[in-house]
Amino acid sequence: MKAQIALITILTKDVPTMKNFYKDVLGFEIKSDMDNYVEFESEGARFAICNREIMTQVTGGHPSYQDEKNGQAFELAFPCDSPADVQKTFEEIVSKGATPVKAPSAMPWGQTTAFFADPDGNIHEIFSN
């Protein structure tokens, strides 16, 4: 095995809503759409959304995929070209339906960051160095 991530999959009970959010709000293009599994065009690691029940089936009913977890389980971070781009992007995605979590601000480590949530409540970051 290589110590490299080749695929990131978000598990959800509502694939259509999540698919529309990542397509319409964040601008990902759909590569493959099989109703309960959607894969997006993504430079670098592959990126997908999958129905929890499908993952339970393909793993032989493993209980981890059946549990409803509370709280944040992961974060995606999206790079921007500049602090002004962070502000512009934040305003744009919020106007399209992202839930604002924290407006852009300068962080002590030198980045400008902003946080938003997707329809399942997963909090993600946009940033510039």
Side-chain angles (χ1 to χ4, degrees):
M1 178 189 91
K2 292 181 182 180
Q4 174 186 1
I5 296 172
L7 171 66
I8 296 169
T9 303
I10 298 174
L11 302 178
T12 184
K13 288 190 171 200
D14 190 353
V15 172
T17 297
M18 293 288 278
K19 172 183 76 173
N20 290 338
F21 178 82
Y22 283 89
K23 177 177 69 77
D24 298 337
V25 176
L26 298 186
F28 281 94
E29 292 186 29
I30 294 173
K31 179 178 181 178
S32 173
D33 187 346
M34 296 178 276
D35 294 325
N36 285 320
Y37 177 86
V38 178
E39 189 168 320
F40 298 96
E41 296 287 342
S42 175
E43 191 175 318
R46 290 171 42 220
F47 176 54
I49 295 172
C50 183
N51 184 285
R52 285 185 174 276
E53 292 175 16
I54 298 299
M55 191 60 77
T56 300
Q57 291 169 10
V58 299
T59 60
H62 193 278
S64 292
Y65 293 114
Q66 299 170 16
D67 293 342
E68 287 298 318
K69 306 287 184 198
N70 291 323
Q72 186 80 15
F74 70 99
E75 174 195 58
L76 301 176
F78 301 94
C80 293
D81 292 329
S82 66
D85 191 26
V86 172
Q87 180 68 44
K88 177 183 168 209
T89 301
F90 182 75
E91 291 170 2
E92 183 177 296
I93 64 175
V94 167
S95 75
K96 291 180 178 179
T99 301
V101 173
K102 185 175 187 300
S105 61
M107 301 308 247
W109 52 87
Q111 290 181 330
T112 297
T113 64
F115 296 90
F116 66 92
D118 68 20
D120 274 7
N122 301 303
I123 298 172
H124 305 304
E125 172 184 354
I126 53 177
F127 71 94
S128 71
N129 291 323

